[in-house]
Amino acid sequence: MDAPESDPCPVKENVPLFNCDQFDKAVARKISQMLLFGLSTACVDNTTGLFKGPASVAVVIRKEMVDYLKQRSQAYIAEATIQGGANATSVDEFLEGPTEVVSVLIDEFVGTKRNLFSRVSGWLSSEGREEKIDDFVQEMETNVFWPIDRREAVAAILIQNVDLRNVFHCSIRFDSAEQLAEHKSQCGYRTLNCMNNGCKAKFSAMHAEKHDLECPFKIIPCEQMCSEMIMRREMDKHCITVCAMKLVNCPFFQVGCESAFPQCNLEKHCSEFLQSHLLYVLGVIHKQEASMEELRMRVQLLEKSHSINELSEALDVRSLTLAIKEQEAKMRKLERNVSKIQNQQELIKNTK
């Protein structure tokens, strides 16, 4: 009897072995900040009421928190699906963003580290707790206790674990290292550095356009259409101070001219409206002593005088007032001299 033929071993399908591990840097950065704040909260709540500070347990609690988050993030979505049951909307809420999921997991972990004193003393709702947490966050940042690149590495793992829709990380796999390398150079999640001088921002390629529209260090044309190119973060200061197109009131506004114009047109305005400004200033100088007709005659005399150029160079009330008074004084002196000569001539004529 022939031996039965054995079934051939099943042929395994070729499974791509090279994974793209790039992720959304903005989300990872946000989660990295949540990790630092969560660690600070756990350390403070674990040591409050005891004769030791949060720094004394930070190393141990950091390791425990990372391990907890990695393990829980792997099972969290499955648990959410089971708990959601037929309510698909409930599950969708968990799948919308890694930051929300990680926030829940961090809160869970922090709750496990609270000592008895922090649970029963009203400590959790006290203002002192928030201050102590913020102080320890600042202390860890100053001492570079948990560098941001290491926190972002943890954040990347958490994103991959909970981002089942592949919205915040790249999950494409390749058959060769060469294919992966080619993809990484074009992947929308690849890290880019801002090229604007002074900006140290890093972001995923997919957010490059958004960053470019917001980068405070980008040099852009003046918003008020002057000829200057201004750094975006300096734009407000430029526009309200030195911008040639900044709207200004006429310097003779206080005496009656209500015009407004770009400050680069100041000299042009004062030259074009010299007659009006002279009339306004003369009205102030002579107040009720002269009628409007007499003021207009004085303006005509001033315009015919040899000092009209000096008057047109006066760009404010004070300087124009001084120029007018000086010119009127010269005119009065000339009038007195002319009158004196005329009187002398009349006297000589009468004596003959």
Side-chain angles (χ1 to χ4, degrees), residues 74-89:
Q74 290 176 341
Y76 186 78
I77 299 301
E79 294 177 3
T81 303
I82 294 173
Q83 292 175 5
N87 187 2
T89 304

Side-chain angles (χ1 to χ4, degrees), residues 163-180:
D163 181 29
L164 298 188
R165 290 179 177 172
N166 301 326
V167 176
F168 301 96
H169 78 289
C170 183
S171 60
I172 302 177
R173 298 182 178 185
F174 299 89
D175 295 322
S176 67
E178 291 76 13
Q179 291 177 333
L180 175 60

